[in-house]
């Protein structure tokens, strides 16, 4: 009995599968070597956290944490590095979880990330986008084929 496919075509298909498999293995090896480099928490980030903790909008847990830092018990850098993770630190950090959940849900729903960030930070005033048009009086761009 003979094979119903042309041998040359079959060999071309096998070669294609082999080439794709080799390429996939190479990509997997490259991906395994990738190590993301976190920039970590900068001094500016720590200063922003401290300003927030001292601000009027900070929850009580954050204010309590700032008092402990002010007393010299530890620093924001210690917290960021994970050297301090007692119950008080955990409570303070947990106060942001509902906001993070809302942000995650908004992003999953397709909302613009910049809008989500701005909605969580009243100090960040985002300039209106050029394509934003609150009035519903038709298209803002007319094309020849739209007539």
């Amino acid at each position: 009995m003979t094979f119903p496919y042309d041998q040359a075509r079959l060999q071309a298909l096998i070669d294609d599968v082999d080439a794709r498999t080799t390429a996939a293995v190479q990509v997997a090896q490259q991906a395994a070597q990738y190590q993301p480099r976190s920039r970590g928490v900068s001094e500016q980030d720590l200063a922003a956290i401290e300003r927030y903790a001292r601000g009027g909008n900070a929850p009580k847990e954050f204010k309590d944490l700032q008092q402990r830092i002010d007393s010299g018990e530890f620093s924001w850098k210690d917290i960021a590095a994970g050297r301090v993770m007692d119950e008080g630190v955990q409570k303070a950090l947990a106060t942001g979880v509902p906001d993070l959940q809302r942000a995650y849900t908004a992003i999953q729903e397709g909302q613009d990330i910049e809008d989500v960030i701005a909605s969580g930070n009243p100090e960040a005033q985002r300039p209106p986008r050029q394509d934003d048009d609150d009035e519903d009086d038709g298209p803002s761009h007319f094309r020849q084929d739209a007539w």
Side-chain angles (χ1 to χ4, degrees):
M1 179 163 188
T2 60
F3 195 71
Y5 290 107
D6 178 17
Q7 286 294 337
R9 183 168 180 232
L10 182 60
Q11 188 60 47
L13 290 171
I14 290 171
D15 292 343
D16 184 49
V17 168
D18 288 343
R20 290 175 188 248
T21 302
T22 300
V25 167
Q26 288 175 346
V27 168
Q29 289 171 342
Q30 290 172 349
Q33 293 174 358
Y34 175 75
Q35 295 180 359
R37 292 183 179 93
S38 171
R39 67 178 180 90
V41 181
S42 70
E43 291 297 324
Q44 291 84 8
D45 295 334
L46 294 172
I49 292 168
E50 185 172 344
R51 278 193 308 275
Y52 172 74
R54 292 181 187 280
N57 293 333
K60 179 187 180 314
E61 293 84 359
F62 253 85
K63 291 178 188 250
D64 292 346
L65 195 56
Q66 184 61 54
Q67 287 177 350
R68 291 176 64 192
I69 290 169
D70 291 342
S71 73
E73 192 174 334
F74 48 80
S75 68
W76 283 112
K77 193 177 281 190
D78 292 332
I79 294 170
R83 290 188 288 269
V84 179
M85 195 49 72
D86 63 21
E87 187 178 341
V89 173
Q90 290 176 13
K91 281 183 181 180
L93 298 180
T95 61
V97 172
D99 290 334
L100 291 173
Q101 289 173 330
R102 278 192 295 278
Y104 176 78
T105 301
I107 292 168
Q108 292 298 99
E109 290 173 350
Q111 293 183 28
D112 183 69
I113 291 176
E114 294 297 324
D115 290 338
V116 172
I117 292 169
S119 71
N121 183 1
E123 295 174 8
Q125 294 296 323
R126 181 173 178 215
R129 294 189 310 232
Q130 294 297 336
D131 59 49
D132 285 348
D133 188 8
D134 292 336
E135 297 181 41
D136 195 19
D137 55 3
S140 59
H141 301 288
F142 291 101
R143 300 186 320 241
Q144 182 77 22
D145 60 354
W147 294 92

